[in-house]
């Protein structure tokens, strides 16, 4: 069998295997639009298989590169790195059979002595772990090409979780990419892309980072959280997400703890009520009531009918004295 026929068979088999894997794998992103998303993803996988096949069969040269000279993409798509180890199936396969499919790289846009990967992140990581050179195709690619190739890799092999897709979409928009490009990179449509970006915008980045990828938490739950979010929520969650116990949990469990904390009703302080009379004596008296954020003073002025007006005129002065005391105390 010629090299041309062998390569063609390899890529045909790869496309079929990836399509079958993607078809059988349970979705972790919820059930909205599954048929549409599946069709987009399978179409993109077939497109990439053809593109790589044509590149190799047309004589595009495969070179060996030092993995240490290849940098990751300029835009992150995962919330946390997922390192491989020697027991990983991909590492074992390359150790036994060699690297059968090359990675795709470009010259680094800001350092001609280095490269930047567009496709094959996990293969690069596996080869580096084995201490080998990486088989690569070096191609002229602009930023849009890199983003789309990165999206193809995620669709075809190890899907991003819903929140990772949302953050990836927002990051691309913030970097100036037009929505049609982002739609192509994520194999999604206009409506779903709008939802992804709105979720990533609504929930603060530090909260998302604290929860992590949450692969088992799908579209519906993240959208519900985004819709219920408000400005006071993050402060309430600070103690939870900063605790060692929270960070020790798996990512899905951290999401559940977050939701449980938000659902918990904060205990309201018991109202207090007491009487006041001046130590120096007199017929003036007051009734003071405190309940949460409410504080009231009711005065019976007795022999000091203008005392209430006196207090009112000095509220600004009293408040500034209060603030100065807080600042001095470092609060």
């Amino acid at each position: 069998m010629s090299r041309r026929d062998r390569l063609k068979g390899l890529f045909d088999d790869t496309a079929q295997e990836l399509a079958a894997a993607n078809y059988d794998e349970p979705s972790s992103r919820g059930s909205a639009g599954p048929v549409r998303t599946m069709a987009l993803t399978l179409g993109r996988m077939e497109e990439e298989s053809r593109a790589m096949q044509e590149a190799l069969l047309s004589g595009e040269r495969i070179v060996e590169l030092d993995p240490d000279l290849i940098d990751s993409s300029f835009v992150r798509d995962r919330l946390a790195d997922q390192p491989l180890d020697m027991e990983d199936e991909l590492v074992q396969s390359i150790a036994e059979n060699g690297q059968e499919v090359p990675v795709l790289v470009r010259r680094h846009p800001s350092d001609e002595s280095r490269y930047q990967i567009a496709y094959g992140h996990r293969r690069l990581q596996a080869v580096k772990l084995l201490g080998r050179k990486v088989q690569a195709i070096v191609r002229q690619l602009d930023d849009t090409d890199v983003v789309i190739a990165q999206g193809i890799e995620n669709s075809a092999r190890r899907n991003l979780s819903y929140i990772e897709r949302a953050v990836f979409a927002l990051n691309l928009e913030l970097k100036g990419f037009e929505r049609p490009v982002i739609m192509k990179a994520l194999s999604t449509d206009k409506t779903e892309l709008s939802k992804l970006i709105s979720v990533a915008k609504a929930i603060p980045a530090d909260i998302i980072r604290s929860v992590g990828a949450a692969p088992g938490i799908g579209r519906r739950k993240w959208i519900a959280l985004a819709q219920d979010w408000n400005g006071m929520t993050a402060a309430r969650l600070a103690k939870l997400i900063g605790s060692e116990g929270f960070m020790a949990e798996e990512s899905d469990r951290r999401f559940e703890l977050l939701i449980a904390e938000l659902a918990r009703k904060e205990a309201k302080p018991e109202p207090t009520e007491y009487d006041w009379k001046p130590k120096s004596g007199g017929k003036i008296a007051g009734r003071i009531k405190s309940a949460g954020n409410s504080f009231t003073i009711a005065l019976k002025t007795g022999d000091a009918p203008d005392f209430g007006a006196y207090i009112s005129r000095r509220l600004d002065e009293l408040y500034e004295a209060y603030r100065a005391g807080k600042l001095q105390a470092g609060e």
Side-chain angles (χ1 to χ4, degrees):
M1 180 183 294
S2 68
R3 175 177 173 81
R4 176 183 292 269
D5 291 337
R6 184 168 62 83
L7 288 172
K8 185 178 186 303
L10 168 64
F11 279 99
D12 287 344
D13 291 344
T14 301
Q16 292 174 8
E17 290 171 4
L18 293 175
N22 200 68
Y23 217 94
D24 294 339
E25 184 179 0
S27 173
S28 64
R29 297 193 292 271
S31 60
V35 176
R36 180 180 64 244
T37 300
M38 182 70 72
L40 288 166
T41 299
L42 293 179
R44 293 287 306 290
M45 288 157 55
E46 183 180 356
E47 176 187 338
E48 172 63 14
S49 177
R50 282 200 306 269
M52 188 71 86
Q53 176 181 323
E54 289 169 3
L56 292 177
L57 296 180
S58 66
E60 193 162 27
R61 193 162 60 96
I62 301 174
V63 297
E64 282 193 345
L65 298 176
D66 183 345
D68 289 332
L69 294 178
I70 304 176
D71 294 328
S72 59
S73 173
F74 64 93
V75 59
R76 288 184 62 87
D77 51 14
R78 297 197 180 275
L79 291 174
D81 294 327
Q82 298 167 324
L84 302 177
D85 56 41
M86 295 301 291
E87 302 300 317
D88 189 274
E89 184 178 350
L90 176 62
V91 177
Q92 291 184 358
S93 174
I94 293 178
E96 295 171 6
N97 306 311
Q99 181 192 342
E100 295 182 337
V101 181
V103 303
L104 180 63
V105 302
R106 67 173 177 174
R107 287 284 183 181
H108 199 291
S110 60
D111 186 347
E112 273 293 315
S113 66
R114 300 187 63 79
Y115 300 87
Q116 192 175 64
I117 191 165
Y119 190 98
H121 292 75
R122 297 185 76 242
R123 269 170 280 152
L124 175 64
Q125 190 182 155
V127 170
K128 189 172 182 178
L129 186 63
L130 291 167
R132 300 183 181 182
K133 299 282 188 180
V134 64
Q135 304 284 322
I137 295 174
V138 183
R139 187 181 296 172
Q140 287 188 337
L141 302 169
D142 60 21
D143 287 352
T144 298
D145 295 329
V146 172
V147 164
I148 291 174
Q150 200 168 335
I152 289 173
E153 180 179 35
N154 290 322
S155 295
R157 287 173 173 80
R158 189 172 185 178
N159 287 344
L160 299 178
S161 69
Y162 182 83
I163 195 60
E164 284 180 313
R165 284 167 57 83
V167 171
F168 186 38
L170 178 58
N171 285 342
L172 291 177
E173 185 169 76
L174 293 175
K175 286 183 177 291
F177 288 96
E178 299 292 335
R179 290 207 172 186
V181 173
I182 306 175
M183 287 161 53
K184 192 172 183 181
L186 286 168
S187 297
T188 192
D189 62 19
K190 185 177 180 180
T191 301
E192 184 61 21
L193 178 60
S194 294
K195 291 177 181 175
L196 286 164
I197 291 175
S198 67
V199 166
K201 283 182 176 178
I203 305 171
D206 60 333
I207 297 293
I208 293 175
R209 284 193 299 269
S210 296
V211 171
I217 306 300
R219 171 181 183 273
R220 181 179 58 82
K221 291 183 177 180
W222 279 109
I223 289 177
L225 177 59
Q227 290 173 341
D228 292 340
W229 199 267
N230 60 68
M232 295 298 294
T233 302
R236 179 179 172 183
L237 296 172
K239 184 177 180 181
L240 172 68
I241 66 175
S243 66
E244 291 184 7
F246 179 82
M247 296 310 298
E249 296 285 353
E250 294 289 334
S251 183
D252 286 351
R253 176 60 180 159
R254 292 200 293 269
F255 182 91
E256 293 169 358
L257 291 172
L258 188 83
I259 297 301
E261 177 62 23
L262 291 174
R264 182 179 62 82
K265 291 184 178 180
E266 291 187 279
K268 293 183 178 179
E270 291 293 326
T272 58
E273 194 169 351
Y274 55 95
D275 294 321
W276 169 82
K277 285 188 177 182
K279 295 179 180 179
S280 59
K283 295 181 179 180
I284 189 170
R287 184 71 173 168
I288 299 172
K289 185 176 181 179
S290 175
N293 292 330
S294 174
F295 190 89
T296 59
I297 302 176
L299 291 173
K300 290 183 179 180
T301 54
D303 58 357
D306 58 346
F307 183 60
Y310 177 84
I311 293 176
S312 298
R313 290 194 302 269
R314 284 163 174 75
L315 284 176
D316 285 339
E317 179 184 334
L318 290 169
Y319 180 63
E320 291 305 320
Y322 162 81
R323 290 185 61 189
K326 287 285 188 181
L327 289 173
Q328 189 175 3
E331 296 181 17

